[in-house]
Amino acid sequence: MAMGSQRFRDYSPDQDFLLPPSLREWLPQDHLANFISDVVDTLDLSEIIDTYDNSQGGQASFHPVMMVKLMLYAYCVGVPSSRRIEKSTHEVIPFRVLSANQHPDHDTISEFRKRHLVALSHIFLQVLELCREAGLVKLGHVALDGTKVKANASKHKAMSYDRMQKKTDELKAEIARLLAEAEATDETEDVRYGRGKRGDELPEELRFRERRLRKIEEAKQALEEEARKEAEAKPSAAGKPEAATVRPKPKAQRNFTDADSRIMKDGATKAFEQAFNGQVAVDSEYQVIVAAGVTQECNDKRQVEPMVERMKANLDGLCPKQMTLDNGYYSDENVKFLRQEGIDAYIATGRLKHGEVPPPVPRGRIPKGLTTKERMARKLRTVKGRCTYAKRKEIAEPAIGQIKEARGFRRFLLRGLEKVDAEWLIICLTHNLLKLFRWSWQPTPAG
């Protein structure tokens, strides 16, 4: 209708463009996708690009730079699934812009991540250096914290060593019974029908139990090997025990889906999950993660030295002036180590019970004869100690909250400690990318 054409803007969804539009114009100039694209263009991706051999024939690969941009943007916005990334290149404008209207399928995306996982995790150092250049890292105060992240495995697929022992005996008895039944059936059929069967067919029930027995025996051997190594590592006045006498604890568990994961208690939900322990060292200035790693250990006590060493490696040997750590990290050895590194440490030595009145602020000189733990407890009760330790909740916990709550990262996609550690570094480097983006930092164009 003529009236309609006067009242409304022209709408012709089937109209072709005379000139192809610029993909960058589909998004605001200050959009995160454009920022990620510009940052990746400044990175050194030779570790990835150099693995491709152009001398061989075959179909050309998707450009690694485009794949890296897709991968980093996907982790930034909480869409790490390869299938969801593929779908997004068709339906979500930022993904379509970054892929330049190309659509790698989920197998290609998954294979790219698997093939270049270590190289992708190495980008953590390049992004951290950009944060340092932007002035977002001061190293005046660093907080260390850990969080339990679910493994890509069900806790119902785990079994204790004690249960393995019992299940092994049960399966062996069942296999013997099934073999005897199969032999009796063969003899009956030979009498009735003659010898026509090959004799090597196994009932599905028997094959299932044999596979199950094999998996359990492999898991048992792995637990026994871990127990043996642990026993050898411990000093003993009576000498090293014989390998045959070393046995895992009855409740020692192993998961059949991801053998490197462990049953851990989630500090927030108090539920027991099949998980890994993700560690972050966070700078106080802008909550930039300066070191990250993953451990199989539920307890944080043995993570102080490894995380400080990672931090030094990432920051050209530099250490922060102060560090705050919760009571899960306390040990006399950790206090001594941090002192030797020249770090003023504030480590909680315990927790106040609900309704418990905190001890009075200490005054005067430090009494003689205090143990290392008593001295640390006294230090945290001082006015300076309380103010310093209180900063921990403003530094590390928000960083973990942004990763798990805002971006929804609560479960690893990959399996195995090495792969999970690399994936955690990708998660943490994209956390730092988002810090740069929100700080309105602009990368210097390459060349």
Side-chain angles (χ1 to χ4, degrees), residues 149-202:
V149 181
K150 291 181 182 178
N152 187 1
S154 169
K155 63 182 178 182
H156 302 296
K157 295 293 184 181
M159 186 179 289
S160 69
Y161 183 76
D162 187 47
R163 177 62 179 155
M164 286 178 193
Q165 296 272 53
K166 296 175 182 176
K167 195 64 180 176
T168 297
D169 294 338
E170 291 175 9
L171 285 171
K172 286 181 177 178
E174 288 183 20
I175 288 171
R177 177 181 60 78
L178 288 169
L179 285 172
E181 288 180 2
E183 185 177 351
T185 300
D186 287 345
E187 291 176 356
T188 302
E189 289 180 348
D190 284 345
V191 171
R192 184 177 301 176
Y193 304 112
R195 296 182 177 274
K197 293 174 68 68
R198 297 195 312 271
D200 59 355
E201 300 90 342
L202 288 176

Side-chain angles (χ1 to χ4, degrees), residues 48-66:
I48 295 174
I49 295 173
D50 291 349
T51 62
Y52 292 86
D53 185 0
N54 295 328
S55 64
Q56 297 179 353
Q59 187 176 1
S61 302
F62 287 102
H63 202 292
V65 173
M66 181 268 282

Side-chain angles (χ1 to χ4, degrees), residues 60 64 78 86 135 147 186 217 251 276 308 310 365 397 427:
E86 177 191 355
T147 184
D186 287 345
E217 287 183 331
K251 292 186 178 181
F276 289 94
V308 169
R310 281 199 180 204
R365 294 183 178 181
E397 290 184 8
I427 287 292

Side-chain angles (χ1 to χ4, degrees), residues 265-330:
K265 187 177 182 179
D266 189 302
T269 65
K270 308 303 179 186
F272 288 91
E273 303 287 354
Q274 198 73 34
F276 289 94
N277 185 352
Q279 299 282 312
V280 288
V282 187
D283 186 83
S284 64
E285 195 71 15
Y286 293 96
Q287 296 176 351
V288 169
I289 296 173
V290 293
V294 168
T295 177
Q296 300 167 296
E297 296 183 22
C298 309
N299 193 288
D300 294 327
K301 275 187 172 58
R302 293 199 284 185
Q303 305 315 310
V304 175
E305 185 171 349
M307 288 300 295
V308 169
E309 293 301 330
R310 281 199 180 204
M311 186 163 41
K312 288 166 62 179
N314 294 345
L315 300 168
D316 305 318
L318 297 177
C319 282
K321 295 177 182 177
Q322 289 181 339
M323 281 189 72
T324 49
L325 309 91
D326 66 29
N327 67 300
Y329 291 94
Y330 185 84

Side-chain angles (χ1 to χ4, degrees), residues 340-351:
Q340 290 172 343
E341 293 293 327
I343 299 171
D344 184 19
Y346 295 79
I347 314 177
T349 58
R351 289 184 178 180

Side-chain angles (χ1 to χ4, degrees), residues 50 212 254 318 355 382:
D50 291 349
R212 183 69 171 161
R254 193 168 183 85
L318 297 177
T382 64

Side-chain angles (χ1 to χ4, degrees), residues 31-61:
H31 194 276
L32 175 62
N34 288 332
F35 174 79
I36 295 292
S37 180
D38 291 341
V39 170
V40 172
D41 285 340
T42 69
L43 299 178
D44 179 7
L45 301 181
S46 58
E47 188 177 356
I48 295 174
I49 295 173
D50 291 349
T51 62
Y52 292 86
D53 185 0
N54 295 328
S55 64
Q56 297 179 353
Q59 187 176 1
S61 302

